[in-house]
Amino acid sequence: DTHSVTRDVVSKAQVEGSLSAQQNNLKALKAEIDDKAAQGVDVSAVQTKYNAASQALTSAASAGPSQASSYITTAAKNIDEAKSLLDKAWAEKEVSNAAATIESLDGMITYFVENRSMASDPQVLAIITKRESAVQYYSQAQDNLNAKNYPLARSKAADGLSKANEALTDANNLKERIGEGFNFGGNLLLYIGV
């Protein structure tokens, strides 16, 4: 009779090398998490994966070679998933920043058009044109975010944010130049008296 057995042979040196490599990957991931958290990125889901990877590597350090190999594989999988989640969260934050700036810009445009009746003013039209350009970038960023192309989503969001900030600076400068203007709001009898 023929009897065959297939086994994975794992050397201690190989396991130690893999463990060391994944510990370095975990340290690099921690630095990235801290950096993005400081920028206001929501890293809670990433932190969960990081903790799972850290626990697996701690278990691997005290296990025998074949069990350690399994822990290291688990840790590597969690590290990869954490990187992907961090990439997504970072892109979402950049897109959100662009949206918030465009919203502020919209408030300024409304002020010029409705409160100051400047809809046909060339300076306001230039601001509106920049706003439309920012919205196009923002829309492309949203599309890329939905398509899971996070680096391109961040890039387009950054372009949109830059264009929106440019328009917002122009709008603030214009508002400063024209001042608040004369307004019949408030006490009308006082104005008539003056």
Side-chain angles (χ1 to χ4, degrees):
D1 291 345
T2 303
H3 178 74
S4 66
V5 176
T6 304
R7 293 185 191 248
D8 288 333
V9 178
V10 182
S11 74
K12 188 173 182 190
Q14 184 184 10
V15 167
E16 286 172 357
S18 294
L19 179 60
S20 176
Q22 292 308 326
Q23 285 170 333
N24 287 335
N25 288 343
L26 194 66
K27 275 184 200 162
L29 176 61
K30 180 63 175 159
E32 282 185 63
I33 290 171
D34 291 345
D35 178 53
K36 297 303 176 277
Q39 294 175 34
V41 175
D42 178 10
V43 295
S44 52
V46 181
Q47 191 66 48
T48 302
K49 291 291 180 183
Y50 170 86
N51 293 342
S54 179
Q55 181 59 49
L57 290 179
T58 301
S59 299
S62 59
S66 79
Q67 188 62 45
S69 181
S70 172
Y71 283 130
I72 292 167
T73 300
T74 300
K77 181 173 179 271
N78 280 308
I79 289 170
D80 288 343
E81 288 173 3
K83 285 179 181 176
S84 178
L85 286 170
L86 186 59
D87 205 23
K88 179 184 180 197
W90 183 19
E92 287 172 342
K93 175 66 176 160
E94 294 294 312
V95 171
S96 169
N97 288 347
T101 305
I102 289 168
E103 195 173 312
S104 295
L105 179 58
D106 286 346
M108 293 290 281
I109 290 170
T110 300
Y111 166 77
F112 292 127
V113 172
E114 293 180 11
N115 297 15
R116 300 303 300 270
S117 302
M118 296 173 68
S120 59
D121 187 292
Q123 296 168 94
V124 174
L125 293 174
I127 291 167
I128 291 170
T129 301
K130 286 181 182 179
R131 183 240 179 233
E132 287 167 0
S133 178
V135 169
Q136 279 185 326
Y137 284 126
Y138 169 73
S139 179
Q140 291 169 1
Q142 279 282 30
D143 291 345
N144 283 295
L145 186 62
N146 294 336
K148 298 183 175 141
N149 187 343
Y150 304 127
L152 192 54
R154 280 195 305 274
S155 171
K156 293 297 179 186
D159 290 341
L161 181 62
S162 172
K163 192 54 84 172
N165 276 329
E166 194 180 312
L168 201 52
T169 299
D170 292 350
N172 283 322
N173 290 340
L174 177 60
K175 187 173 181 181
E176 204 173 287
R177 277 197 310 275
I178 64 173
E180 289 301 318
F182 187 73
N183 188 342
F184 276 112
N187 191 336
L188 185 58
L189 291 176
L190 180 63
Y191 290 132
I192 294 169
V194 171

